[in-house]
Amino acid sequence: MKRWNTVAIVGVGLIGGSVGLALRQRRLAEHVIGIGRRASSLRSAKRAGAVTRTTIDLSRGVADAELVVVCTPVAHIAQHVRQAAAACVNAALITDAGSTKVEIVRQLDGSLPGSAPFVGSHPLAGSEKSGSAHASGDLFKGRVVVVTPTRRTPKAALDVATEFWSSLGATVAPMSPASHDRALAATSHVPHVVASALVSSVREADFPLASTGLRSTTRIAASDSELWAQILLSNSTQALKSLDRFDQSLSALRKAIRQNDTPQLVKLLGQAKRKRDALGN
Amino acid sequence: MKRWNTVAIVGVGLIGGSVGLALRQRRLAEHVIGIGRRASSLRSAKRAGAVTRTTIDLSRGVADAELVVVCTPVAHIAQHVRQAAAACVNAALITDAGSTKVEIVRQLDGSLPGSAPFVGSHPLAGSEKSGSAHASGDLFKGRVVVVTPTRRTPKAALDVATEFWSSLGATVAPMSPASHDRALAATSHVPHVVASALVSSVREADFPLASTGLRSTTRIAASDSELWAQILLSNSTQALKSLDRFDQSLSALRKAIRQNDTPQLVKLLGQAKRKRDALGN
């Protein structure tokens, strides 16, 4: 017998499609219902083997689910979780895959209809590519998934969320929504802003002189603009704070260059190198 | 008969070692003389098969060479080219692999001893790793090598430089030293500064929450600090100008975030995405 009889996935893009593929490939779910707005995305997810059935009706799609995973863009998650909660009274868990957590959890915590508990999740996995065509059943393998319980979260629901993401191969890290958003501003949101600013500042006429350095440094700027605008604006306070920290680091380097201060520049670049070496591959 | 009887490589790190390996693997040179200050680096280059003989004496090492390639750090290149020029009166070409060109060419153009002509070169290939242990005979394959002739450069010397880098698999792009330094400030030097500032601004406590985005964006911050301090300071005017352009792009994005301006943020991120898509992989 499989772990889940029916799992519903709301939003079958890169993340939702990968959740479905992982569940199917690991034989964890008998039925995987793909829920989306566009018939073309749903067909593509079914063709990829990520879901067994599809529907554009969220309430009907989640009705029989024991687990609902909401993988829609950040600005829609709270609404979709609320709709799912009203329709799937028997689910053991509703969770999401949103890149920011404070706003989503604040909108849902303690105010959901029905009896299904919600635990916020954020799988630190993804790509600058989007759509279930790029989904992979191994996307979460060896990755960290942050789960963000609050003091209202039932212990049993947190356990189910932890077991779920672990069963897809991830390492689960629980933390508060606020700690998550503060950390991710630095490790994810600011790098996106910086990569976008960097590629914007290079003239296309100079692209033939781009080496691998520019390519790797700006790769994530190719991500979906709508999705990332939502992410940044739903965590703008922390993103702006982290941008200030980035500014301070950049100003120190710039000052050393302007003052032609070799020892200071070597020192600052050396500190950055040691930190980057510590970050690992 | 091979193209070259004797090639001398001054500085047998990643670039020098790769030049040697490429010459040997493509059977372009009978003898490759590795010249360096440290016996350990020379032993390592010989063990890697990048050079056939080694010496710590630059003047003796280049004496019989028909081609001298100076692959030492930027701050030492002009001096090493001058020394080589005085010692190898019969060479068809002396070239280098320095990441900046204006200062080096200004110090050498029209003032070299001997008869060997100098043409500045910059292979747009490399890695955050250093040392001949990471060298590869394919490092230049499919890459661009910029050559920077001046109005004093003999046509024959430019032809030899072009033929040399082409024979290692590279595409050769001639341009003025000033055009090179202006373009590379944007495509290489600023990305290095930004990557260093970015990793410096992230708390190590948050590293467990780093995704692939932060890693790729900061990868080049692991480069050698001494080498990069020299590169940045030998092109500081252009680097600072390009940093100003980066600042303008960053400020526009930051303003859209601060003002919670979704359409403007989507627009700016979309422009960056289209540019990054145009840059390619």
Side-chain angles (χ1 to χ4, degrees), chain B residues 187-199:
Chain B
T187 60
S188 172
H189 308 161
V190 165
H192 261 86
V193 177
V194 165
S196 293
L198 193 53
V199 76

Side-chain angles (χ1 to χ4, degrees), chain B residues 257-276:
Chain B
I257 295 171
R258 200 172 46 233
Q259 299 185 337
N260 199 30
D261 187 343
T262 304
Q264 176 67 2
L265 188 55
V266 170
K267 184 184 146 194
L268 293 172
L269 293 174
Q271 286 170 349
K273 174 180 170 48
R274 279 187 295 281
K275 241 176 155 176
R276 184 58 187 83

Side-chain angles (χ1 to χ4, degrees), chain B residues 7-84:
Chain B
V7 176
I9 300 173
V10 187
V12 287
L14 177 75
I15 301 292
S18 297
V19 168
L21 278 176
L23 286 168
R24 300 277 298 147
Q25 287 168 5
R26 290 164 180 257
R27 301 179 188 283
L28 293 164
E30 192 68 39
H31 307 288
V32 179
I33 319 293
I35 303 162
R37 281 181 312 173
R38 284 182 304 161
S40 61
S41 304
L42 292 172
R43 269 198 306 273
S44 153
K46 193 160 181 196
R47 206 180 307 122
V51 299
T52 56
R53 276 187 289 156
T54 64
T55 175
I56 56 165
D57 184 331
L58 195 154
S59 299
R60 288 179 62 178
V62 303
D64 297 327
E66 299 133 52
L67 170 67
V68 179
V69 190
V70 176
C71 301
T72 46
V74 159
H76 303 294
I77 290 174
Q79 177 206 335
H80 289 154
V81 169
R82 195 172 293 284
Q83 267 185 268

Side-chain angles (χ1 to χ4, degrees), chain A residues 124 143-144 146 175 182-184 186-187 190-191 193-194 196-204 206-223 225-226 228-229 232-233 236 240 243-247 249-250 253-254 256-258 260 262 265-266 269-270 272-273 275-281, chain B residues 124 143-144 146 175 182-184 186-187 190-191 193-194 196-204 206-223 225-226 228-229 232-233 236 240 243-247 249-250 253-254 256-258 260 262 265-266 269-270 272-273 275-281:
Chain A
L124 305 188
R143 301 295 183 159
V144 170
V146 177
M175 61 181 69
R182 186 197 53 70
L184 269 288
T187 61
V190 164
V193 177
V194 165
S196 294
L198 193 53
V199 75
S200 296
S201 73
V202 180
R203 295 174 179 90
E204 290 204 35
D206 292 334
F207 279 3
L209 299 179
S211 188
T212 50
L214 181 67
R215 286 174 217 278
S216 69
T217 311
T218 60
R219 185 178 57 77
I220 54 177
S223 305
S225 326
E226 291 270 359
W228 272 93
L232 293 168
L233 293 179
S236 56
L240 291 168
L243 276 169
D244 287 344
R245 277 176 61 89
F246 168 75
D247 259 355
S249 299
L250 186 62
L253 284 157
R254 192 197 298 238
I257 296 171
R258 201 171 46 233
N260 200 28
T262 305
L265 188 55
V266 170
L269 293 174
K273 174 180 169 49
K275 240 176 154 173
R276 184 59 188 80
D277 288 343
L279 178 58
N281 285 313
Chain B
L124 304 187
R143 302 295 183 158
V144 170
V146 177
M175 61 180 69
R182 186 197 53 71
L184 270 288
T187 60
V190 165
V193 177
V194 165
S196 293
L198 193 53
V199 76
S200 297
S201 72
V202 180
R203 296 176 180 88
E204 289 204 35
D206 291 334
F207 279 3
L209 299 180
S211 187
T212 49
L214 181 68
R215 285 175 219 279
S216 69
T217 311
T218 60
R219 184 179 57 76
I220 53 176
S223 304
S225 327
E226 291 270 357
W228 272 93
L232 293 168
L233 294 179
S236 56
L240 291 168
L243 276 169
D244 287 343
R245 277 176 62 90
F246 167 75
D247 259 355
S249 300
L250 186 63
L253 284 157
R254 192 197 297 239
I257 295 171
R258 200 172 46 233
N260 199 30
T262 304
L265 188 55
V266 170
L269 293 174
K273 174 180 170 48
K275 241 176 155 176
R276 184 58 187 83
D277 288 343
L279 179 58
N281 286 312

Side-chain angles (χ1 to χ4, degrees), chain A residues 70-135:
Chain A
V70 176
C71 302
T72 46
V74 159
H76 304 293
I77 290 174
Q79 177 206 336
H80 289 154
V81 169
R82 193 172 296 282
Q83 268 185 268
C88 69
V89 286
N90 292 318
L93 176 71
I94 306 175
T95 189
D96 74 327
S99 296
T100 57
K101 296 270 72 87
V102 170
E103 272 201 18
I104 291 167
V105 172
R106 188 196 296 137
Q107 287 177 68
L108 299 172
D109 203 32
S111 73
L112 274 186
S115 62
F118 170 76
V119 178
S121 302
H122 178 205
L124 305 188
S127 161
E128 71 280 12
K129 303 191 177 99
S130 49
S132 63
H134 296 107

Side-chain angles (χ1 to χ4, degrees), chain A residues 6 18 48 50 57 73 86 106 119 140 150 155-156 169 174 188 254 256 265-266:
Chain A
T6 304
S18 297
D57 185 329
R106 188 196 296 137
V119 178
F140 310 106
T150 71
K155 168 82 167 62
S188 171
R254 192 197 298 238
L265 188 55
V266 170

